[in-house]
């Protein structure tokens, strides 16, 4: 007993071996906890890790690094020779050219004056080489390379000579020509931006929803905790019997499809003799923290589909989904085919605008999507009850930092120019929030785990989802320069659903590729053709003819014959469905 007592007491006195040997498992747990805490606090979006990994990868591949440095040295010799010739006043063609989509150095001063030409050339030379090296990093996965290149590119964009007064010849010229007024105005613009908490792309008082935005006449005919249903007043004496139901994204607000009479897709549809219903989503607050995706499907999409059928007396509707609204519509189509069966399916056909169902390569946004960043966002949402729309808008702007951030810094702060009125940019700044439960599920189930493309992997509102159950005809539109829903990835939607499919590729990006009214002469172009499940994006595009103009007319040729016979136009509200408010409603006005 005495020996046992001494042995058991020795660790307490610090004299035993066990007391002197550290508990490695406990140390590992403590270190992991410390590391995770530091990452969450300092670098939740993994900015530094991919860059450090790229640097280590190059050090571990000395032969590849040596070959790359030889190429760099060769280019630097050309650049030094160019520098000597320009310094001596001799002509010399620029050895490094800006990318075709880079307007920062478009002013002739960057080429005509030797000193500014050399500033531009040395910046571009190192920028292009660093970017190429990151994309060619040996030993890293493609995703890690893209992440490293993305974050390094953000830093290179930030330190561009165009972003500083003393290294921007246009800003210096304006300063001299205005006698200092441009700098004074720029200071006021900067202070206004700081007060607003964001770099403004347009002025908030240039637009007002319901007055010079979202002006198409109509009425809110139904409302629940998530949704106002807007039914628009007809512009033709007769309309097609079966209505069009538009499911808009709950990221930002519905009036992107009703900006003004010339740009309004809603008004265009009305003028085509179609009867239009649209979703206007509630801007959630902390009280809606527990709202789930199931609720958006049942109280949102199914609610407007069933209401439109009841209001018009039509057995079926023609559904349209935009962006995340399109992803939700794809899930609804799979859900409804299971819930109602193909014969009783309430949707006759469906149209998708810039929509993903396969999130394997979701574009530049993937730099924000990994376990650490999603965990950080979920913790933030758990604290607030929602994801603030301003944070999401800032992330999307960062994807195109030159055009959506530094352009406005340069023109506003350095040139002293007031932001120009632009309805699309005003809409872009009119942000919305995301409920915690719904958005956390969406990020994990779709972006992280990509479960929607796996049959029966997701169960929503009591039904397992299988995109292969969807047999209704599909008209899918993607945008050539879309960085939110890359067109080649949007094309993959056609691989998972059955039925007839027509795919359209529009020029321009995520917004202007859709907000694309017919004009003369045409501003944009598109490719449109039938697509089969075995088609690959590049092959489909190669065999499809480019057409000048807007795809809207092509869509009408596809859609209108499916919408039934012409019947007397229905008023926006009345009878059993009185107007609860005039369009654009009340939810869209909530900040």
């Amino acid at each position: 007993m005495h020996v046992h007592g001494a042995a058991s007491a020795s660790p307490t006195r610090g004299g035993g071996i066990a007391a002197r040997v550290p508990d490695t498992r406990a140390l590992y747990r403590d270190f992991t906890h410390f590391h995770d805490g530091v990452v969450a606090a300092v670098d939740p979006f993994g900015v530094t890790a991919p860059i450090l990994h790229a640097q280590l990868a190059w050090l571990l591949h000395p032969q590849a690094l040596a070959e790359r440095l030889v190429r760099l040295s060769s280019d630097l010799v050309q650049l030094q020779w160019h520098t000597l010739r320009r310094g001596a006043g001799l002509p010399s063609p620029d050895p490094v050219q800006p990318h075709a989509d880079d307007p920062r150095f478009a002013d002739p001063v960057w080429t005509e004056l030797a000193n500014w030409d050399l500033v531009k050339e040395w910046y571009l030379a190192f920028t292009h080489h660093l970017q190429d090296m990151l994309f060619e990093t040996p030993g890293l996965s493609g995703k890690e390379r893209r992440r490293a290149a993305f974050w390094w590119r953000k830093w290179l964009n930030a330190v561009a000579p165009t972003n500083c007064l003393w290294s921007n010849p246009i800003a210096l010229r304006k300063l001299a020509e205005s006698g200092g007024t441009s700098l004074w105005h720029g200071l006021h613009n900067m202070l206004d931006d700081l007060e607003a908490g964001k770099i403004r792309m347009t002025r908030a008082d240039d637009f007002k929803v319901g007055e010079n935005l979202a002006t198409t006449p109509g009425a809110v005919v139904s409302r629940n905790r998530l949704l106002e249903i807007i039914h628009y007043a007809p512009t033709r004496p007769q309309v097609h019997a079966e209505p069009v139901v538009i499911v808009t994204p709950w990221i930002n607000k519905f009036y992107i499809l009703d900006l003004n009479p010339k740009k309004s897709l809603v008004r265009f549809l009305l003028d085509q003799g179609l009867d239009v219903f649209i979703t206007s989503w509630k801007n959630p607050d902390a009280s809606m923290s527990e709202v789930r995706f199931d609720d958006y499907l049942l109280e949102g999409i199914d609610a407007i589909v069933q209401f439109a059928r009841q209001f018009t007396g039509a057995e079926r509707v023609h559904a349209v989904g935009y962006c995340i609204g399109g992803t939700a519509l794809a899930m609804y189509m799979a859900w409804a085919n299971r819930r109602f069966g193909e014969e009783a399916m309430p949707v006759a056909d469906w149209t998708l605008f810039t929509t993903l169902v396969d999130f394997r390569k979701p574009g530049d946004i993937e730099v924000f999507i990994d376990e650490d960043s999603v965990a950080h966002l979920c913790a933030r949402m758990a604290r607030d009850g929602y994801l603030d729309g301003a944070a999401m808008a800032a992330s999307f702007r960062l994807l195109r930092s030159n055009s959506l951030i530094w352009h406005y810094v340069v023109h506003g702060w350095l040139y002293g120019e007031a932001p120009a009125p632009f309805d699309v940019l005003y809409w872009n700044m009119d942000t919305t929030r995301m409920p915690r439960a719904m958005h956390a599920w969406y990020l994990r189930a779709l972006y992280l785990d990509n479960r929607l493309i796996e049959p029966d992997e997701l169960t929503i509102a009591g039904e397992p989802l299988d995109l292969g159950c969807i047999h209704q005809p599909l008209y899918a539109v993607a945008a050539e320069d879309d960085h939110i829903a890359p067109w080649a990835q949007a094309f993959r939607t056609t691989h998972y659903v059955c039925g007839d499919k027509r795919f359209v590729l529009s020029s321009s990006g995520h917004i202007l590729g859709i907000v694309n009214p017919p004009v003369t002469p045409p501003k944009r172009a598109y490719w449109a053709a039938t697509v089969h499940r075995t088609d690959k994006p590049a092959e489909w595009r190669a065999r499809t003819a480019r057409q000048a103009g807007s795809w809207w007319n092509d869509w009408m040729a596809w859609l209108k014959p499916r919408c039934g016979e012409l019947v007397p136009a229905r008023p926006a509200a009345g009878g059993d469905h009185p107007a609860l408010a005039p369009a654009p409603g009340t939810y869209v006005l909530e900040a």
Side-chain angles (χ1 to χ4, degrees):
M1 293 292 294
H2 173 72
V3 174
H4 175 77
S8 62
S10 61
T12 305
R13 296 194 303 269
I17 294 176
R20 295 193 298 270
V21 177
D23 185 342
T24 55
R25 288 175 297 180
L27 286 174
Y28 178 77
R29 287 195 302 269
D30 292 343
F31 176 79
T32 301
H33 180 73
F34 172 77
H35 171 268
D36 292 346
V38 170
V39 168
V42 178
D43 191 14
F45 293 104
V47 176
T48 57
I51 295 175
L52 291 175
H53 291 166
Q55 293 173 346
L56 291 172
W58 277 110
L59 291 175
L60 293 172
H61 294 79
Q63 182 176 351
L65 178 60
E67 292 172 356
R68 185 71 212 193
L69 291 176
V70 168
R71 291 166 57 187
L72 174 61
S73 300
S74 175
D75 290 347
L76 288 181
V77 168
Q78 296 182 34
L79 187 56
Q80 288 170 338
W81 179 243
H82 174 73
T83 300
L84 290 173
R85 290 183 63 84
R86 290 306 307 262
L90 299 174
S92 177
D94 288 346
V96 186
Q97 295 291 335
H99 290 305
D101 59 351
D102 184 357
R104 293 175 296 174
F105 303 101
D107 193 287
V109 69
W110 288 107
T111 302
E112 293 173 356
L113 295 184
N115 56 331
W116 295 117
D117 176 59
L118 297 178
V119 169
K120 174 197 70 176
E121 286 298 293
W122 282 91
Y123 169 77
L124 290 176
F126 279 101
T127 296
H128 291 182
H129 268 285
L130 284 170
Q131 287 289 285
D132 290 346
M133 283 188 70
L134 287 167
F135 278 116
E136 297 171 7
T137 304
L140 287 186
S141 67
K143 183 174 182 178
E144 282 188 295
R145 292 177 184 177
R146 292 191 295 272
R147 286 171 65 88
F150 175 85
W151 290 115
W152 194 255
R153 185 166 64 250
K154 298 306 112 176
W155 183 83
L156 291 170
N157 290 343
V159 300
T162 50
N163 296 340
C164 178
L165 176 65
W166 304 115
S167 56
N168 186 323
I170 299 94
L172 292 174
R173 183 177 66 210
K174 290 179 179 291
L175 177 64
E177 291 173 349
S178 67
T181 303
S182 65
L183 187 59
W184 178 251
H185 290 162
L187 177 62
H188 279 279
N189 288 337
M190 182 184 72
L191 294 175
D192 289 344
D193 286 349
L194 293 175
E195 184 180 0
K198 57 189 172 186
I199 299 169
R200 297 165 303 144
M201 297 184 288
T202 190
R203 293 179 299 186
D205 54 1
D206 285 332
F207 297 98
K208 189 170 182 180
V209 177
E211 293 186 8
N212 57 357
L213 294 174
T215 59
T216 300
V220 175
V221 288
S222 180
R223 180 187 294 128
N224 62 32
R225 63 171 181 157
L226 290 182
L227 179 72
E228 284 185 338
I229 298 175
I230 298 173
H231 180 219
Y232 287 99
T235 61
R236 303 277 292 272
Q238 291 184 310
V239 297
H240 288 271
E242 296 177 351
V244 173
V245 168
I246 303 176
V247 180
T248 56
W250 48 85
I251 300 173
N252 291 103
K253 298 181 179 178
F254 82 90
Y255 63 86
I256 187 60
L257 298 179
D258 187 30
L259 287 170
N260 63 50
K262 291 184 178 180
K263 295 180 180 178
S264 174
L265 178 64
V266 168
R267 189 175 291 257
F268 175 82
L269 294 174
L270 295 171
D271 290 342
Q272 295 291 315
L274 295 169
D275 200 356
V276 180
F277 295 78
I278 200 168
T279 59
S280 177
W281 300 97
K282 174 80 172 177
N283 195 0
D285 55 23
S287 68
M288 299 174 65
S289 171
E290 298 305 315
V291 170
R292 302 174 301 155
F293 192 88
D294 299 49
D295 302 316
Y296 273 82
L297 187 141
L298 292 174
E299 300 177 43
I301 304 172
D302 192 51
I304 191 172
V305 167
Q306 302 302 343
F307 183 89
R309 295 174 66 211
Q310 181 185 9
F311 189 103
T312 61
E315 290 187 4
R316 304 179 304 173
V317 306
H318 304 266
V320 181
Y322 190 0
C323 187
I324 188 175
T327 305
L329 177 59
M331 298 168 82
Y332 176 80
M333 295 294 291
W335 177 88
N337 270 285
R338 279 274 172 83
R339 175 62 59 94
F340 304 113
E342 189 172 348
E343 293 300 320
M345 179 68 177
V347 179
D349 53 64
W350 54 314
T351 297
L352 297 179
F353 298 159
T354 60
T355 292
L356 297 182
V357 300
D358 183 345
F359 291 81
R360 184 170 61 92
K361 290 184 178 180
D364 289 348
I365 200 173
E366 74 175 344
V367 300
F368 299 114
I369 305 296
D370 61 16
E371 285 290 349
D372 289 336
S373 58
V374 170
H376 169 74
L377 289 174
C378 289
R380 184 172 177 175
M381 290 189 289
R383 181 192 67 210
D384 299 334
Y386 55 80
L387 179 63
D388 185 52
M392 184 172 293
S395 299
F396 282 123
R397 290 183 70 177
L398 192 60
L399 296 178
R400 292 292 182 267
S401 59
N402 274 340
S403 58
L404 297 179
I405 297 176
W406 297 116
H407 171 84
Y408 295 96
V409 168
V410 170
H411 284 263
W413 298 7
L414 302 187
Y415 299 172
E417 299 171 356
F422 191 5
D423 46 16
V424 172
L425 294 180
Y426 177 88
W427 167 85
N428 191 63
M429 294 176 3
D430 191 7
T431 58
T432 58
R433 295 174 288 272
M434 306 292 116
R436 179 202 64 80
M438 182 279 296
H439 200 59
W441 178 89
Y442 191 89
L443 289 174
R444 289 198 174 277
L446 301 187
Y447 276 98
L448 275 186
D449 299 334
N450 198 20
R451 295 168 62 192
L452 179 55
I453 61 173
E454 300 296 333
D456 300 338
E457 271 292 302
L458 289 179
T459 297
I460 303 295
E463 300 292 345
L465 303 186
D466 180 0
L467 297 176
C469 291
I470 305 173
H471 293 271
Q472 291 71 32
L474 170 64
Y475 188 98
V477 184
E480 185 178 24
D481 299 324
D482 195 338
H483 61 284
I484 296 173
W487 83 265
Q489 198 65 17
F491 186 93
R492 290 177 62 83
T493 301
T494 62
H495 295 169
Y496 299 106
V497 301
C498 301
D500 296 333
K501 297 175 285 285
R502 185 169 180 82
F503 189 82
V504 176
L505 177 61
S506 173
S507 61
S508 198
H510 191 72
I511 302 302
L512 297 183
I514 301 302
V515 183
N516 185 12
V519 293
T520 304
K523 290 184 178 180
R524 299 188 178 91
Y526 67 95
W527 296 256
T530 300
V531 62
H532 306 286
R533 294 185 77 171
T534 56
D535 284 341
K536 295 180 180 179
E539 295 171 355
W540 174 89
R541 182 170 179 172
R543 73 165 189 260
T544 304
R546 180 183 185 272
Q547 302 182 59
S550 168
W551 56 267
W552 287 12
N553 290 324
D554 182 85
W555 184 34
M556 289 301 97
W558 182 90
L559 178 63
K560 286 171 62 176
R562 304 169 185 269
C563 291
E565 61 183 2
L566 293 174
V567 299
R570 311 169 184 103
D576 295 335
H577 305 289
L580 305 180
T586 59
Y587 282 178
V588 73
L589 303 178
E590 296 176 340

